Amino acid sequence: MGVRKKEATSVPEKPKVRTPRKKAAESPESRSEEHAPSGKKVSAAPKGTLIIVESPTKARTLTRILGSDYKVKASVGHLKDLPPSRIGVDLDNGYELQFVVSEGKKKVLDEIRQAARSAREIYLASDPDREGEAIAYHIASELTGLKKPIRRVLVHELTPRGIEAALAEPGEIDLHKVDAQKARRALDRIVGYTLSPLLWERVRRGLSAGRVQSVAVRLVCDRESEIRSFVPVEYWTITLEMRPSDPSRSSSVFAARLDRIKGKKAEIGTAAEARETVDRILSEGFRIAGLSADEKRRQPSPPLTTSRLQQEGARRFRFSAKKTMQLAQKLYEGVELPGQGQTGLITYMRTDSVRLAPEAQEMARSFIAKNYPGALPAKSPAYRNKKGIQDAHEAIRPTDAVRTPDSLEGILDRDLLRVYRLIWQSFLESQMVPARYLLTTVTIEGDKEDTFRATGRRMLDPGFLVLRGEGVRSRKKTEVGEEEGEEKDEEETELPLLHEGEAVEAAAPPVSLQHFTEPPPRYNEASLIRELEEKGIGRPSTYATIMSTILDREYVEKRENRFHPTELGETVNRLLVDSFPDLLNVAFTARMEEELDSVEEGEKIYRDAVDDFYRPFSKELSKARGGGMANLKAQSEPTEIPCPACGTLMVKKWGRHGAYLACGNYPACKTTRNIVETENGPAPEALPEAAGEICPACGKPMVVRKGRFGTFLACSGYPACKTTRPWPPKGESGPPVPLPAEIPPCPACGGAMVVKTGRFGSFLSCANYPKCKTTRPLPTGIACTRPGCGGEITPRKGKRGTFYGCSRYPECDRTYPGRPVSRPCPQCGHAFLIEKKKGKAAFLSCPEKGCGYESEDGEEPGITA
């Protein structure tokens, strides 16, 4: 069961493992729910066992629970991956993947091998999902030559009972899961390593395309198109406050809304129609035409899946999907609890299932019976999973219901506590009775042609809502609930006692309000994740990465927590939709996800799934490369915008930083401008003058420009004058960097010296560049303290970064490790101090040997000369 020695260029041999039985995968949930005492050590496996997990935090939690009889090592994620420098998929040989040891992981692998040599047996306890299965497979392929028993364990919760259950029934590596992960990896690598270079060539460098991310961008762009094409329609609503005509009951006022006119739905489209209707209502008499009271139920939601956890985190707390998953990962891997050590607080957080183990349901029932007996159902509610979901492990839940969020106040930080409260509350609510309320509807008819409707709602039994502090007469707002952005329920309003046939009258004049229909809302993270899930695109474990990628690539941007497509995103989306209709087709992408699931279930072969995607994709790719995809770099789009320098109409072009405007008279006029969107459409970016800043070379005003490294000052006489200066200083936002009081002219040609910024910071350069390429360090204004030197302390670049030294080097070789500050030493009187750092704290130190003065940590360093 050995593996080949040269893994860098070959596919690792499969370790001889079998597909595990379903029982093995589910066994951790069929164990006792009782916690082992904190001092008890788990002993489900023999001594001398090596357990390999993914993260160091998880390793620490396992070490605390298992004790010294076990050795626990962390792989720190994937040990092996496809090579970064090439596609790594053999397209001509059954789509074999060419895995190599990941950069920086050789030392980790060596430590695991060393520990494995002295172990009696090896347990692979990476996460219980596709990625975790692939990690276990790659580790096994590296350790099979040791001839040690290698077993797979699925740890669903990092508690004594969960770990004992996992170790008691070890299984084997699920090769179907491994193949499913390989198929997904192959598809993503094929798309990324073939489409991205095409986009670099046709649009700009640094772009990327992805099998799922590109569909997500398309959804955002399509929604934006809907919004742009939407035409709002005006409509009016009319409400009327009423009361019984009986004077003794005149205080029983209630509000009703106009519902029907002449028996048809009330549709009022203009202000004139609204005024006419109001005038008619003022002359009408009204009576109660109908009363109905129905008991309604509000069912609790199922326990959380990965997708719903991400959606609720975004909706309630405005967390990104990435942040929500990072917080959940911490809760799963373990948090330091007083007297208990590192303890896992929730079960595994990557799951599509709403199923709960029977023992988990009993745990919830026990807690509810003790604390909320009125909300305990006769039997535990059961929730049905969606068709085709992966049911390897149960829904996300707390490992111990008794560990309430309130008991963790002051132990968990605010964000961790919010996510834990969300999971804990969702779990318990799912096992409680529904909320019951009485919905009353009253129909009021006028003696002409108008019908009003009033509704009221009264809580009968709060059911699961009692967990949020809501009683029959109370509507307390809690952190997980309305205060955090949860959709508000209907108002708890009660109607007065009314009788059918009773006369009622207006208590105040009718109120008419104008409205307009609204376009569909732009996606936020919660709604985009929900859309992807409903359409079967991607998997919940990938959504956080997708959200981050489309933002990082600048295909979309967030404004007011909503996704807006950028011009770059819409351009790339248009090119991909035109050239790769299948790749950007929602139904096609969803079908591919189903095929990947079929590979995991053993119903489809890895190579067939990849081939079903690659064959149509390769045809589209060949067509795009042959000229089917437009080359924006070689195109220029005419505009009606005049060049600010010569008046020639500008053209829109694409460069390495996106779209920009260039003079149509190029190369005679080389004026360029960034594009900004205005109310009248795209326009050249206005370049503000920097007040009081004059070009030292030609005397024209300096203006603010944007370049690859941010903003800077440039002469308004460009391209005739190419003088530039940094603005604002790095790490600041304010006025331009002031020039030193006196700057001698260029020693080579006598021209003016100007401040410029390069890869190593600011420096002085001759204004006659490129004819004269003289440069000098930017002076600090602090004189060298060596007697008779006359030099000045200036910044210099060395092997270990920036340091400061005398400008008369090599005649004077004085150097200083920190930036000089024009402040005399209060201890020895030295002319200046230098900045130093200890960790994140900055302080001032005297450079004079033997003095030893240091300012206290946090003391204001002073003004730099």
Side-chain angles (χ1 to χ4, degrees):
M1 197 163 62
V3 295
R4 299 176 188 174
K5 296 296 183 182
K6 294 183 179 179
E7 283 295 311
T9 58
S10 62
V11 181
E13 284 185 19
K14 291 184 179 180
K16 294 180 180 179
V17 288
R18 301 192 303 266
T19 303
R21 299 182 302 275
K22 291 293 181 184
K23 182 179 179 181
E26 297 172 357
S27 61
E29 300 166 6
S30 61
R31 309 295 296 176
S32 171
E33 289 293 319
E34 294 299 322
H35 275 287
S38 59
K40 181 181 177 180
K41 302 302 180 183
V42 176
S43 57
K47 294 182 179 181
T49 297
L50 170 64
I51 300 177
I52 304 172
V53 297
E54 288 185 37
S55 78
T57 303
K58 191 174 178 181
R60 287 194 295 271
T61 303
L62 278 170
T63 299
R64 180 191 67 80
I65 295 172
L66 294 172
S68 58
D69 293 343
Y70 299 82
K71 186 178 290 184
V72 185
K73 288 287 185 180
S75 69
V76 197
H78 282 271
L79 282 177
K80 302 172 79 172
D81 199 359
L82 297 176
S85 58
R86 61 182 188 277
I87 190 170
V89 182
D90 192 340
L91 301 176
D92 301 319
N93 187 28
Y95 308 104
E96 287 291 342
L97 301 184
Q98 301 164 351
F99 286 102
V100 298
V101 176
S102 302
E103 185 177 355
K105 291 300 182 71
K106 187 178 183 303
K107 182 179 179 181
V108 176
L109 182 57
D110 289 342
E111 289 177 356
I112 290 175
R113 281 200 189 108
Q114 185 64 33
R117 289 190 183 99
S118 58
R120 291 183 57 183
E121 59 182 356
I122 302 162
Y123 282 9
L124 304 176
S126 48
D127 290 346
D129 57 12
R130 288 173 180 168
E131 295 297 321
E133 210 70 24
I135 290 172
Y137 172 77
H138 290 147
I139 294 173
S141 71
E142 292 289 332
L143 301 181
T144 50
L146 299 178
K147 307 298 183 182
K148 300 289 180 71
I150 299 176
R151 303 172 186 271
R152 176 78 168 113
V153 292
L154 303 177
V155 181
H156 295 268
E157 57 177 272
L158 289 171
T159 60
R161 71 158 182 271
I163 296 169
E164 184 173 8
L167 297 180
E169 296 190 34
E172 295 158 343
I173 294 175
D174 188 340
L175 292 182
H176 293 321
K177 269 189 179 180
V178 174
D179 280 347
Q181 193 272 347
K182 284 170 58 181
R184 183 180 298 276
R185 197 77 180 90
L187 297 185
D188 292 343
R189 184 55 80 99
I190 288 170
V191 173
Y193 273 61
T194 55
L195 271 193
S196 298
L198 189 61
L199 291 175
W200 293 11
E201 176 188 327
R202 306 295 169 91
V203 186
R204 82 176 206 197
R205 290 188 65 83
L207 299 182
S208 71
R211 187 177 54 85
V212 178
Q213 79 173 50
S214 296
V215 178
V217 173
R218 180 178 187 175
L219 292 175
V220 175
C221 292
D222 287 350
R223 178 59 57 87
E224 195 69 21
S225 296
E226 290 180 55
I227 294 171
R228 288 172 185 163
S229 61
F230 181 81
V231 179
V233 177
E234 180 183 9
Y235 70 98
W236 290 71
T237 59
I238 297 176
T239 56
L240 179 64
E241 286 192 348
M242 296 183 173
R243 62 190 174 196
S245 298
D246 184 349
S248 64
R249 302 176 56 215
S250 60
S251 60
S252 300
V253 178
F254 62 95
R257 175 174 286 192
L258 180 63
D259 184 54
R260 295 187 172 274
I261 300 175
K262 293 183 179 180
K264 296 182 180 179
K265 183 179 179 181
E267 294 181 347
I268 303 172
T270 64
E273 291 179 22
R275 282 194 298 270
E276 179 185 339
T277 305
V278 167
D279 292 341
R280 185 176 65 248
I281 291 170
L282 289 172
S283 63
E284 281 188 274
F286 296 95
R287 68 179 183 86
I288 304 297
L291 289 167
S292 67
D294 299 310
E295 183 177 311
K296 300 289 184 181
R297 292 180 174 231
R298 177 181 169 185
Q299 299 290 342
S301 298
L304 293 173
T305 61
T306 302
S307 173
R308 274 199 56 230
L309 174 63
Q310 293 171 354
Q311 292 175 45
E312 293 300 302
R315 186 168 67 86
R316 300 188 184 197
F317 315 131
R318 295 204 168 184
F319 290 167
S320 66
K322 181 178 180 181
K323 179 175 181 177
T324 299
M325 293 306 292
Q326 286 174 338
L327 293 168
Q329 183 88 28
K330 281 186 179 181
L331 294 171
Y332 165 69
E333 291 182 345
V335 175
E336 190 73 24
L337 299 182
Q340 301 178 51
Q342 201 89 4
T343 305
L345 300 183
I346 65 171
T347 56
Y348 190 58
M349 66 287 162
R350 291 189 177 91
T351 175
D352 297 339
S353 177
V354 294
R355 175 179 58 84
L356 290 172
E359 292 77 13
Q361 292 177 316
E362 286 304 314
M363 177 175 65
R365 290 182 64 81
S366 175
F367 182 88
I368 296 167
K370 183 177 180 180
N371 297 278
Y372 306 98
L376 183 68
K379 64 177 183 178
S380 297
Y383 297 94
R384 184 175 298 177
N385 282 318
K386 295 179 181 178
K387 183 181 178 181
I389 67 99
Q390 303 301 305
D391 194 25
H393 33 268
E394 58 180 319
I396 307 169
R397 62 170 176 84
T399 55
D400 188 354
V402 176
R403 194 178 288 118
T404 65
D406 289 345
S407 71
L408 297 175
E409 288 271 7
I411 300 173
L412 302 182
D413 65 40
R414 183 170 182 259
D415 289 345
L416 272 176
L417 185 62
R418 286 165 126 186
V419 173
Y420 180 76
R421 188 185 299 275
L422 171 62
I423 294 169
W424 180 88
Q425 184 170 299
S426 296
F427 165 64
L428 287 175
E429 285 181 356
S430 73
Q431 300 302 297
M432 289 181 166
V433 297
R436 294 188 301 112
Y437 57 92
L438 189 67
L439 182 66
T440 307
T441 304
V442 180
T443 304
I444 307 105
E445 287 186 351
D447 54 19
K448 293 186 177 177
E449 54 192 47
D450 301 308
T451 302
F452 283 78
R453 183 183 295 270
T455 59
R457 194 172 81 155
R458 179 167 63 89
M459 184 71 76
L460 300 175
D461 179 5
F464 72 93
L465 294 176
V466 72
L467 202 62
R468 308 184 188 188
E470 296 186 17
V472 175
R473 298 289 179 184
S474 169
R475 293 204 40 92
K476 179 182 177 183
K477 294 183 181 181
T478 58
E479 183 180 14
V480 178
E482 295 172 1
E483 185 183 25
E484 293 298 341
E486 186 181 38
E487 294 175 3
K488 294 184 180 181
D489 300 325
E490 296 175 25
E491 196 69 32
E492 293 285 341
T493 57
E494 291 188 43
L495 295 175
L497 182 63
L498 300 169
H499 306 283
E500 192 168 341
E502 180 180 12
V504 292
E505 62 185 17
V511 177
S512 60
L513 294 175
Q514 182 189 40
H515 308 272
F516 290 92
T517 55
E518 295 183 351
R522 292 181 176 88
Y523 291 109
N524 55 23
E525 285 213 11
S527 58
L528 184 55
I529 289 173
R530 184 170 60 248
E531 186 79 0
L532 291 171
E533 182 182 34
E534 289 176 355
K535 293 184 180 298
I537 300 166
R539 280 294 172 260
S541 58
T542 66
Y543 291 154
T545 303
I546 292 167
M547 300 298 112
S548 299
T549 300
I550 63 177
L551 284 166
D552 293 343
R553 299 296 182 187
E554 299 179 355
Y555 292 146
V556 301
E557 60 185 3
K558 271 189 179 180
R559 282 185 252 150
E560 298 178 351
N561 208 39
R562 297 276 174 176
F563 286 125
H564 295 248
T566 62
E567 183 184 17
L568 175 63
E570 292 190 271
T571 301
V572 170
N573 177 67
R574 185 174 64 252
L575 291 175
L576 292 179
V577 169
D578 291 344
S579 299
F580 298 90
D582 278 347
L583 180 66
L584 273 291
N585 183 280
V586 172
F588 177 80
T589 306
R591 191 175 78 247
M592 285 310 306
E593 292 293 344
E594 292 175 359
E595 293 209 10
L596 292 174
D597 291 341
S598 297
V599 174
E600 181 165 343
E601 294 299 319
E603 298 169 359
K604 197 174 185 74
I605 299 173
Y606 156 77
R607 291 175 178 83
D608 291 347
V610 178
D611 194 57
D612 287 346
F613 173 85
Y614 183 68
R615 278 187 290 105
F617 174 74
S618 62
K619 293 177 181 178
E620 293 178 348
L621 183 64
S622 298
K623 185 178 178 181
R625 284 172 171 169
M629 178 184 282
N631 189 343
L632 296 186
K633 284 186 175 181
Q635 294 179 356
S636 58
E637 181 182 330
T639 72
E640 298 299 319
I641 301 171
C643 172
C646 69
T648 305
L649 292 181
M650 305 189 83
V651 294
K652 183 179 177 180
K653 299 189 124 196
W654 281 85
R656 66 175 63 185
H657 306 300
Y660 67 97
L661 294 172
C663 181
N665 195 27
Y666 179 88
C669 179
K670 298 180 180 178
T671 301
T672 61
R673 288 290 186 270
N674 292 328
I675 300 176
V676 292
E677 289 294 329
T678 66
E679 294 180 358
N680 300 320
E685 182 181 30
L687 299 177
E689 293 186 5
E693 294 298 319
I694 304 298
C695 174
C698 69
K700 291 185 178 179
M702 302 287 279
V703 292
V704 180
R705 299 288 300 270
K706 286 184 180 179
R708 181 179 180 186
F709 302 109
T711 56
F712 62 96
L713 286 182
C715 180
S716 57
Y718 179 87
C721 180
K722 299 179 180 178
T723 302
T724 61
R725 284 179 52 201
W727 184 88
K730 187 176 181 181
E732 301 177 20
S733 56
V737 177
L739 285 169
E742 294 183 7
I743 299 180
C746 173
C749 70
M753 298 293 284
V754 295
V755 180
K756 291 195 174 183
T757 301
R759 62 184 300 189
F760 301 123
S762 300
F763 63 96
L764 288 175
S765 174
C766 181
N768 292 328
Y769 179 87
K771 292 181 180 179
C772 179
K773 299 182 180 180
T774 302
T775 61
R776 285 178 54 197
L778 189 67
T780 61
I782 298 178
C784 178
T785 56
R786 183 176 178 178
C789 174
E792 186 177 359
I793 306 302
T794 58
R796 290 160 63 182
K797 195 72 179 179
K799 291 181 179 179
R800 298 182 180 179
T802 301
F803 68 97
Y804 291 79
C806 181
S807 59
R808 296 192 65 248
Y809 178 84
E811 288 85 0
C812 179
D813 60 359
R814 287 209 171 181
T815 60
Y816 304 92
R819 188 165 60 108
V821 174
S822 184
R823 181 189 295 181
C825 175
Q827 189 163 295
C828 71
H830 190 274
F832 60 87
L833 301 173
I834 59 172
E835 283 188 354
K836 284 190 176 182
K837 282 189 176 182
K838 284 182 181 177
K840 294 183 179 179
F843 62 96
L844 297 177
S845 171
C846 180
E848 188 67 26
K849 291 182 179 180
C851 174
Y853 168 78
E854 289 185 354
S855 66
E856 295 183 5
D857 289 354
E859 183 179 325
E860 179 62 38
I863 301 173
T864 304

